[in-house]
Amino acid sequence: MLYLKKYFTEGLIQFTILLSLIGVRVDVDTYLSSQFPPLREIILGPSSAYTQTQFHNLRNTLDGYGIHPKSVDLDYFFTTRRLLNQVRSLDHLRVPSTELSAWLVHRDPESVVSVAGQSSPSIVLDNGNSLEDWVLEACSSALMFVLKDIDLIDILWRQDIDLGAGREVFDYSSRQKESEVDKRPQEENEDGVEREESWRNGINLQGGQTHTRVDGETGENIPEETSLSLQECLRLLEATFPFGEEPELLFSVLSLTDHEGPSTSQSLLPPQLPQAEPSLDLEQQWQDIMAIMELQVKIYSLLQYFLVPTLINQNVSLHQASLPSCSQEFPHFFGPELDSPSTLEASGPHQPALLSLSSSNSSNINSTFGATNLTGLFLPPLLNGTSNITCTPVLQDPLNSLLEEAMLDEISLLDLAMEEGFSQAQAFQLEDELDSDSGLSLDSSHSPASPSSSETSCSSSSSSSSSTTSATFSEEGAVGYTTDSEATLELEEGAVGGYQPEYSKFCRMSYQDLSQFQNLPQLENISHNHTYNLPLSPSSDPEHQQPLNTVGKKTSRDKQQQAKLQSPQDFLDKQSSRDERRARAMKIPFSNDKIINLPVEEFNELLAKHHLSEAQLALIRDIRRRGKNKMAAQNCRKRKLDTILNLEQGVDDLRRTKAKLLKEKMEFVRSIRQMKQKVQSLYQEVFTQLRDEDGRPYPASEYSLQYGPDGSILVMPRSMVTEQSRKPDKKQKDKKK
DNA sequence: ACGTGTTGTCATAAT
DNA sequence: GGATTATGACAACAC
């Protein structure tokens, strides 16, 4: 059981991320919600650590967790939670819910590009399945991606064969042919139709139990049965794709996989692979997964050699396909961060992704759990330093889409830099602009009132509940209390008791709550030594005043103050708020806490019970007004701060969106440019083959092809075209085409 | 001494 | 209309 638990706690997160990277959506909700609530908390974030507190309202709730109808908590609670989740989701790798679906690129008999995961039923992880089955499924999926990539390379080769002039048998051990193909993208128009068809056949991938191979000579689909086991595949791949070797080796493998016996020519595994290899232990599977990832990186890097411009025009993701050299041009974009010690630490064996997840917040996600670091988590430094995955030309596979979402920012920068000819300095500038704050210096990780700090405080206090300090906090729920003795007093008096302990359970903190922890070592540098006259504090009763700092070691300032004190009464006066001192001076017979926090009816009853002078009544009303206003001011400030933070986040979101849209725009522009080139080449080809009645070619200087309104194509003298084009602009565009 | 951040308080408007 | 809340402005205070 420990064995399983170890893998679950340390490996589940990594597995989830890994599988997400390779295109497998994992349902972790079942596990997280029913079995591992802490994990869910770590991944999805604390649920309510960023909500403000209104002490006077808590007493009206059943358990301290409810929200007063008039409280801003009501909408603020949900809004904050939602926004926080959104913020977290921005940079976190998203953990999809409710299903495990493997995108298995497959090849179907209808010669249509399809992705199995889009239509195939999802594999839902339920608790009935063993983890081993799940792991094996994952391995199978990962392997299928590797093999899919082999198919892709295979296809590319067949593409070259089909497009070759003589359809000669290709020498797989030579890349000379590839270079030749590279050099003649425009010379194959004669074979364009067939080439298109060949491409469709070649790219026709499918996952499943059968592997349909496209015959290089006839173009027919040849179904093949597959029986290669996971181990066999891994051994084959590992033995054949050693790192650092030349691409020629890959060709040899492709030759084997495509043309030799059944033991090597079948690439896709049956989904019931766990049954095929039930003896594989989890560690082996994990190593296999890592090996697969490494192999994928290798294959992706090798794929860069194969991309030819003609393929870009087919069905290859343009922006992916056009980045074959980005790793060489911009290694520093990913390299330093990936190789940074923090990344290595985060991906260490003892604290894998968990620490990064739990400690990250909206402001430092990029540095702890960003997409870039995700690659760093799973890719060997030597390879991920070149970020092959992000820049690798691949077909429209789920890895691509997932990576694109997770690494959008970085990729966008790279794309912008390369596509638009940005200088590296410009790219860095844009990156800094995207990453930088809005100048407000509201990094939540440093703000005492920020959600992250609140969460930290909560976790720290709850995690050390055995200590004297936090014991006071957790037992009395005295968030915001000045002393634990006061809390005890409050309980004894029962004035507003009954809700503080429940309140503490949920670790909700008010705006000023951090003052409670100012003596905690880890928080000493955060909070000033302001002592609040908090509404819940019963310290207003002079007779019950106790020295402060019973919850921790005294600060030097407190010691100095205490040294200066000449009497206990002076000390009490020093520690009391002005209103408390006034109340004491006026001999108000009840606490300021009651004055401030009692509901109006009880407050009036309280006043009626005692015979008070006008001065006392006026002071009591002032105390109540000021006390409520003080809380209101605190809430107001907290709201203001939150608003600023949210706006800041909104600015970041908009910047990301802008970068994404810019990237898409560049892709479209490039696509249009390529289409125009293609149309132009077709135009030239058609035009040069046109002959007049005498069999002579039309001189290009005098004639041009024009699209008729009914779709026909006409040969027109340029003089006529010029006249027509003077009127509408559209025709001029047509003329250019 | 000065700047900055935090907090309490007041005045006022809004609820 | 009174009670409460929200918020800008100011002052006091701590660092």
Side-chain angles (χ1 to χ4, degrees):
Chain A
M1 192 59 194
L2 284 176
Y3 189 63
L4 184 67
K5 185 177 180 182
K6 173 192 170 189
Y7 272 93
F8 218 91
T9 53
E10 295 186 2
L12 178 57
I13 301 300
Q14 291 187 359
F15 241 136
T16 303
I17 297 165
L18 171 62
L19 294 175
S20 298
L21 284 173
I22 63 175
V24 178
R25 298 178 61 192
V26 180
D27 173 25
V28 295
D29 282 6
T30 306
Y31 293 93
L32 296 181
S33 60
S34 60
Q35 300 177 14
F36 298 95
L39 268 181
R40 183 187 186 88
E41 186 84 353
I42 288 170
I43 294 178
L44 302 180
S47 58
S48 61
Y50 196 22
T51 52
Q52 58 179 321
T53 304
Q54 292 190 335
F55 292 93
H56 57 293
N57 288 330
L58 289 172
R59 68 184 306 278
N60 296 325
T61 63
L62 291 176
D63 57 358
Y65 194 60
I67 300 168
H68 192 284
K70 290 186 72 174
S71 170
V72 292
D73 274 346
L74 189 58
D75 57 343
Y76 213 76
F77 175 76
F78 294 107
T79 301
T80 305
R81 262 183 88 176
R82 175 175 54 81
L83 293 178
L84 272 178
N85 286 333
Q86 289 179 0
V87 167
R88 290 190 181 97
S89 66
L90 281 175
D91 289 310
H92 282 246
L93 185 73
R94 302 184 179 190
V95 181
S97 60
T98 67
E99 64 180 352
L100 166 71
S101 59
W103 285 274
L104 304 181
V105 182
H106 62 83
R107 175 179 302 171
D108 59 43
E110 287 75 27
S111 300
V112 176
V113 175
S114 60
V115 177
Q118 294 175 349
S119 57
S120 64
S122 302
I123 306 168
V124 179
L125 261 185
D126 56 35
N127 296 333
N129 287 350
S130 70
L131 180 61
E132 185 172 353
D133 289 343
W134 182 72
V135 170
L136 291 172
E137 293 274 1
C139 290
S140 173
S141 300
L143 184 57
M144 286 184 181
F145 268 88
V146 176
L147 297 173
K148 182 214 69 178
D149 293 331
I150 295 175
D151 281 348
L152 173 60
I153 303 170
D154 185 10
I155 289 158
L156 298 180
W157 275 109
R158 260 187 260 109
Q159 173 85 343
D160 295 336
I161 294 172
D162 291 342
L163 296 177
R167 290 175 175 256
E168 66 274 28
V169 177
F170 209 90
D171 180 11
Y172 277 63
S173 62
S174 170
R175 285 194 64 241
Q176 183 65 29
K177 193 65 190 177
E178 177 72 18
S179 61
E180 291 177 6
V181 175
D182 280 337
K183 293 173 183 173
R184 56 168 202 275
Q186 300 292 331
E187 299 174 5
E188 298 166 354
N189 292 325
E190 297 177 359
D191 207 5
V193 178
E194 183 177 352
R195 169 187 174 184
E196 188 92 13
E197 194 174 328
S198 172
W199 167 257
R200 286 205 195 92
N201 289 334
I203 202 171
N204 186 15
L205 302 167
Q206 74 176 20
Q209 295 179 337
T210 62
H211 173 206
T212 305
R213 185 169 66 87
V214 180
D215 187 274
E217 291 290 326
T218 65
E220 296 175 0
N221 294 335
I222 302 173
E224 297 173 358
E225 292 298 320
T226 62
S227 59
L228 196 59
S229 70
L230 173 64
Q231 293 279 32
E232 288 170 332
C233 288
L234 289 172
R235 278 197 293 271
L236 172 65
L237 293 170
E238 288 174 346
T240 318
F241 298 154
F243 291 114
E245 301 219 357
E246 293 300 320
E248 279 78 357
L249 284 175
L250 182 59
F251 289 97
S252 302
V253 176
L254 294 175
S255 175
L256 289 173
T257 56
D258 204 31
H259 298 291
E260 289 194 359
S263 63
T264 53
S265 62
Q266 295 87 18
S267 57
L268 297 179
L269 296 174
Q272 300 306 317
L273 186 129
Q275 284 80 356
E277 291 286 342
S279 61
L280 288 176
D281 61 8
L282 296 176
E283 188 169 6
Q284 180 61 41
Q285 293 291 343
W286 178 252
Q287 292 173 353
D288 292 343
I289 285 288
M290 297 304 293
I292 288 170
M293 290 301 294
E294 292 172 351
L295 290 171
Q296 272 204 310
V297 172
K298 174 69 175 177
I299 292 171
Y300 284 146
S301 65
L302 293 177
L303 266 174
Q304 295 177 9
Y305 291 98
F306 299 96
L307 271 193
V308 294
T310 54
L311 297 182
I312 299 175
N313 287 330
Q314 305 297 331
N315 202 12
V316 180
S317 176
L318 288 172
H319 73 282
Q320 299 285 347
S322 61
L323 301 174
S325 61
C326 65
S327 59
Q328 285 77 26
E329 293 177 6
F330 297 92
H332 50 279
F333 267 92
F334 293 89
E337 189 175 358
L338 289 176
D339 295 334
S340 65
S342 61
T343 303
L344 295 176
E345 289 172 8
S347 61
H350 302 297
Q351 300 288 345
L354 294 176
L355 273 184
S356 299
L357 281 168
S358 60
S359 63
S360 62
N361 56 35
S362 60
S363 65
N364 60 5
I365 282 172
N366 282 335
S367 62
T368 57
F369 205 64
T372 309
N373 284 339
L374 282 178
T375 60
L377 284 173
F378 295 101
L379 302 181
L382 188 61
L383 288 170
N384 65 30
T386 60
S387 64
N388 282 321
I389 284 185
T390 58
C391 305
T392 296
V394 292
L395 293 181
Q396 313 237 352
D397 62 23
L399 176 61
N400 176 25
S401 60
L402 284 175
L403 282 176
E404 184 166 357
E405 183 176 4
M407 307 178 176
L408 181 60
D409 295 335
E410 290 83 354
I411 295 176
S412 296
L413 291 171
L414 290 174
D415 286 353
L416 286 174
M418 287 182 295
E419 294 171 9
E420 288 302 291
F422 282 4
S423 67
Q424 293 184 9
Q426 286 174 311
F428 278 124
Q429 184 178 357
L430 179 57
E431 185 180 31
D432 291 338
E433 185 180 344
L434 288 176
D435 292 339
S436 66
D437 290 335
S438 61
L440 295 172
S441 299
L442 289 171
D443 188 347
S444 59
S445 62
H446 300 125
S447 173
S450 67
S452 59
S453 61
S454 298
E455 293 165 14
T456 304
S457 302
C458 280
S459 59
S460 62
S461 63
S462 59
S463 62
S464 59
S465 59
S466 60
S467 68
T468 306
T469 300
S470 57
T472 301
F473 168 68
S474 59
E475 290 171 7
E476 307 299 338
V479 279
Y481 272 49
T482 307
T483 66
D484 54 353
S485 61
E486 292 168 359
T488 306
L489 170 66
E490 182 62 42
L491 287 180
E492 290 172 355
E493 290 185 349
V496 286
Y499 56 90
Q500 296 96 332
E502 289 81 2
Y503 171 79
S504 69
K505 289 178 185 175
F506 300 96
C507 201
R508 301 171 70 196
M509 304 180 70
S510 70
Y511 182 59
Q512 70 280 6
D513 290 339
L514 280 174
S515 62
Q516 180 69 21
F517 307 105
Q518 59 191 357
N519 291 323
L520 294 178
Q522 65 271 31
L523 296 176
E524 277 184 344
N525 57 341
I526 296 179
S527 177
H528 289 173
N529 193 13
H530 294 289
T531 301
Y532 296 118
N533 175 28
L534 290 176
L536 281 183
S537 172
S539 60
S540 58
D541 194 340
E543 287 74 21
H544 293 82
Q545 286 286 345
Q546 299 289 334
L548 287 178
N549 296 321
T550 56
V551 295
K553 69 173 187 179
K554 294 171 182 173
T555 65
S556 59
R557 195 177 71 89
D558 292 332
K559 291 176 181 176
Q560 291 174 0
Q561 284 188 348
Q562 197 166 12
K564 291 177 183 176
L565 294 178
Q566 300 182 2
S567 69
Q569 188 62 40
D570 289 341
F571 176 75
L572 295 178
D573 287 342
K574 288 273 185 184
Q575 298 303 322
S576 302
S577 69
R578 282 184 287 178
D579 276 339
E580 285 172 343
R581 289 197 293 269
R582 291 181 190 128
R584 217 178 299 131
M586 295 286 287
K587 295 186 168 30
I588 304 298
F590 32 81
S591 69
N592 282 23
D593 179 66
K594 287 181 179 177
I595 292 173
I596 296 169
N597 292 300
L598 281 181
V600 112
E601 299 162 3
E602 298 179 31
F603 175 68
N604 290 331
E605 290 176 6
L606 187 67
L607 293 183
K609 282 181 188 173
H610 302 81
H611 295 286
L612 301 168
S613 66
E614 281 300 320
Q616 284 178 316
L617 288 174
L619 177 61
I620 287 170
R621 291 200 168 85
D622 281 346
I623 289 172
R624 185 175 174 89
R625 175 178 52 79
R626 282 192 287 264
K628 287 191 176 297
N629 186 249
K630 186 164 72 176
M631 288 188 300
Q634 289 165 353
N635 289 331
C636 181
R637 284 166 176 146
K638 182 175 182 294
R639 271 192 301 274
K640 190 185 292 182
L641 185 62
D642 291 342
T643 300
I644 293 172
L645 290 173
N646 288 333
L647 289 173
E648 193 179 21
Q649 188 61 52
V651 170
D652 288 343
D653 293 344
L654 289 174
R655 282 177 176 158
R656 293 177 204 280
T657 303
K658 180 184 175 183
K660 183 179 181 180
L661 292 174
L662 275 175
K663 179 186 168 215
E664 291 177 355
K665 179 188 172 185
M666 299 314 150
E667 292 169 4
F668 285 134
V669 166
R670 189 150 38 86
S671 177
I672 289 172
R673 194 187 311 134
Q674 290 166 347
M675 290 174 65
K676 283 182 178 178
Q677 290 176 353
K678 190 174 181 179
V679 170
Q680 179 65 21
S681 65
L682 288 173
Y683 176 94
Q684 293 293 342
E685 182 179 348
V686 171
F687 190 82
T688 54
Q689 292 181 4
L690 286 177
R691 297 293 184 271
D692 59 10
E693 297 84 356
D694 301 331
R696 294 174 300 187
Y698 287 97
S701 58
E702 299 178 14
Y703 293 92
S704 67
L705 293 179
Q706 296 295 318
Y707 294 106
D710 57 348
S712 61
I713 299 179
L714 308 174
V715 180
M716 296 180 64
R718 289 192 177 273
S719 57
M720 291 180 60
V721 176
T722 306
E723 291 177 2
Q724 290 185 354
S725 63
R726 283 173 185 171
K727 299 174 184 177
D729 289 337
K730 278 189 175 180
K731 291 186 178 179
Q732 193 169 8
K733 291 181 180 177
D734 292 341
K735 173 190 170 184
K736 287 183 179 178
K737 290 183 179 179

